[in-house]
Amino acid sequence: MDYEQEESKYLLHTYKRNYVNFVDGSGARLYDENGKEYIDFMSGIAVNSVGYKHPALVKAVSEAINGVHHISNLFYIDSQMKAAKKIKELSKMDIRVFFGNSGAEANEGAIKIARKYGEANFETKRYKIITIKNSFHGRTITTLKATAQDRFHDFFGPYPDGFVHAENIEDAIARIDEHTAAVMLEPIQAEGGVYAFAKEELVRLREETKRQGVLLMFDEIQCGIFRSGEFLACQTYGIEPDVFTLAKGLAGGVPIGAVCTTLKDAFSPGDHGSTFGGNPLSTKAAVAVLGVLDEEYKSGILASTIESFEKHLNGVVSDFPHLFEKSVGLGLLRGLKAKSDEIMQNAITEGFKEGVLVIKSAQSTVRFLPSITIKEDEIEEGFARLRVALSRISG
Ligand SMILES: Cc1ncc(COP(=O)(O)O)c(C=O)c1O
């Protein structure tokens, strides 16, 4: 069947897809309908944090679906409390959590917290939120406007007022005024070229925002959930934001989002809500996933996975200097900065043919987002395939 033609009759045309039909998976391996195997170095864009068919995730989701998989937030939900408790424990911060269904929704929650904080605490009714060039914060109207990339802003205006796009962190600090409620950023810009901000810059931003009573909000949707090597990227940097958001890998593929804040009374009943958010299906999955990943971290396995992945990336840069400039990113949120967009695209296409999945980012960067639980043999195999693919590409 011509999947592309068939699909185009029924779905809105939002994605430029690859029409491979994946039908099975195990660990970091995926299989298409013809039985071809792929090593997955992108995990559904940082979602499948424990890979495919992880027994703990299978058990949690099966238990939920065989028991009570959804209850309204008008009732107590035990796994919701447990998931929030685990996030608090892992963050080592004194926070409370609200669960939604996606990253954009988590960021909407963060924006509402900032607006309420600004309204309640300042005579000037602060409402502005400063975001940083090349950021990505989501696809709702408000999170699109928060995303400081003009190319996302065609067609959908008028946008909500109150977003200021700064060039960089110094510029963000310079733009703080009596109307600023918050500065929001990804400590590692994932879509924007896998760019990890320097520690000194983030430390200075933390000091300045604190001094001026402005909230610091970290979008940890792609860089959180152990991807940086710690539970949160902010822990890698040794910084505590006032608000952070999670989604993607939090429940290993079951849709979820969370906004977490040290402003423990940020919301009162009626201020915010969600029908699906935090239901037993997603929060049981989150508890299971966080348990698995915490073990991976505490046992030191994650540190050696990162070391191995880094070694392989550096090896590719030194063996293919005509294709790549350098390796970028942190932990298991990595990139290879290619010498051109064409090389980046060829690496992805040829890699796919060879049976390894990688994804693009901005600035001609080939992005790597393997599952946090990826095994050494899967890493070896994936890089072996990538090298075969790269040897076919000329610079
Ligand atoms: C940093 C960041 N923030 C927000 C989002 C939006 O998340 P979602 O697609 O779940 O709404 C993404 C998704 O790619 C992201 O990477």
Side-chain angles (χ1 to χ4, degrees):
M1 196 197 304
D2 184 338
Y3 290 132
E4 183 169 4
Q5 204 187 44
E6 195 62 9
E7 173 192 277
S8 72
K9 292 188 228 160
Y10 307 110
L11 291 175
L12 286 169
H13 300 174
T14 46
Y15 301 106
K16 275 193 209 141
R17 293 191 205 274
N18 176 331
Y19 282 86
V20 61
N21 184 12
F22 294 118
V23 293
D24 199 9
S26 175
R29 293 170 200 267
L30 268 173
Y31 302 90
D32 71 15
E33 62 188 331
N34 302 313
K36 180 175 167 184
E37 183 195 87
Y38 300 78
I39 298 291
D40 184 1
F41 278 170
M42 59 178 280
S43 314
I45 321 189
V47 167
N48 302 316
S49 49
V50 296
Y52 301 94
K53 285 212 278 264
H54 192 290
L57 182 58
V58 171
K59 182 165 176 279
V61 170
S62 309
E63 275 175 14
I65 213 77
N66 284 312
V68 178
H69 65 288
H70 175 85
I71 342 167
S72 158
N73 274 306
L74 298 176
F75 299 98
Y76 170 71
I77 301 173
D78 193 56
S79 53
Q80 189 178 115
M81 182 272 287
K82 287 182 175 139
K85 192 173 174 187
K86 189 72 183 170
I87 292 172
K88 179 175 174 179
E89 176 201 317
L90 293 172
S91 75
K92 303 191 174 72
M93 290 167 63
D94 195 11
I95 51 164
R96 285 186 185 149
V97 180
F98 172 86
F99 288 104
N101 309 285
S102 68
E105 198 186 331
N107 284 340
E108 291 271 352
I111 291 162
K112 281 175 79 173
I113 289 172
R115 290 276 173 92
K116 191 173 171 196
Y117 164 84
E119 159 93 25
N121 291 291
F122 300 94
E123 257 173 37
T124 50
K125 308 283 179 216
R126 294 182 173 203
Y127 67 101
K128 289 191 177 168
I129 294 167
I130 300 174
T131 59
I132 317 269
K133 186 175 169 183
N134 292 331
S135 54
F136 183 78
H137 297 298
R139 296 281 189 167
T140 60
I141 292 286
T142 306
T143 56
L144 267 184
K145 186 60 192 171
T147 295
Q149 299 191 55
D150 290 342
R151 69 191 172 94
F152 285 103
H153 299 148
D154 294 339
F155 314 128
F156 307 116
Y159 287 97
D161 191 14
F163 288 91
V164 178
H165 295 163
E167 280 296 306
N168 51 41
I169 294 201
E170 267 315 302
D171 188 35
I173 293 170
R175 283 166 177 257
I176 294 175
D177 64 19
E178 73 276 19
H179 299 296
T180 311
V183 176
M184 177 160 105
L185 76 160
E186 307 152 74
I188 310 169
Q189 289 185 330
E191 305 289 322
V194 195
Y195 177 72
F197 285 103
K199 181 169 179 175
E200 312 79 73
E201 286 184 297
L202 292 182
V203 168
R204 187 165 133 62
L205 179 63
R206 174 65 288 188
E207 284 166 4
E208 274 303 314
T209 45
K210 197 168 263 174
R211 194 176 67 74
Q212 302 197 45
V214 168
L215 298 182
L216 180 61
M217 312 205 295
F218 275 4
D219 177 339
E220 295 251 4
I221 286 161
Q222 197 158 154
C223 61
I225 316 293
F226 293 99
R227 195 149 283 285
S228 69
E230 299 291 331
F231 172 54
L232 300 170
C234 66
Q235 294 170 313
T236 311
Y237 284 100
I239 290 166
E240 287 194 0
D242 304 294
V243 179
F244 64 88
T245 52
L246 301 171
K248 288 194 179 276
L250 176 55
V254 182
I256 194 167
V259 55
C260 313
T261 179
T262 56
L263 280 77
K264 289 162 78 183
D265 295 312
F267 288 137
S268 308
D271 282 346
H272 200 42
S274 161
T275 295
F276 292 117
N279 79 8
L281 180 66
S282 63
T283 48
K284 272 182 197 256
V287 171
V289 164
L290 292 176
V292 169
L293 298 182
D294 192 20
E295 249 327 287
E296 194 89 354
Y297 173 76
K298 284 190 183 137
S299 63
I301 295 173
L302 176 57
S304 38
T305 303
I306 290 172
E307 198 180 319
S308 163
F309 214 87
E310 200 162 83
K311 193 187 79 203
H312 281 284
L313 286 169
N314 291 338
V316 169
V317 175
S318 52
D319 292 346
F320 297 88
H322 54 300
L323 301 181
F324 298 108
E325 276 173 23
K326 57 179 176 179
S327 152
V328 291
L330 270 180
L332 294 177
L333 172 43
R334 310 300 298 227
L336 288 177
K337 190 166 169 20
K339 295 207 158 160
S340 68
D341 268 358
E342 193 190 350
I343 292 173
M344 171 196 68
Q345 197 49 60
N346 286 340
I348 294 167
T349 311
E350 294 303 315
F352 175 78
K353 284 186 201 158
E354 216 45 57
V356 57
L357 304 181
V358 289
I359 177 178
K360 74 175 182 181
S361 180
Q363 337 287 344
S364 312
T365 307
V366 181
R367 188 170 21 151
F368 297 74
L369 300 154
S371 67
I372 308 299
T373 52
I374 192 167
K375 301 279 176 287
E376 185 55 34
D377 64 305
E378 294 163 333
I379 297 176
E380 295 280 339
E381 183 64 35
F383 276 100
R385 292 180 190 183
L386 186 66
R387 280 170 171 276
V388 174
L390 295 178
S391 59
R392 285 202 293 270
I393 303 170
S394 53

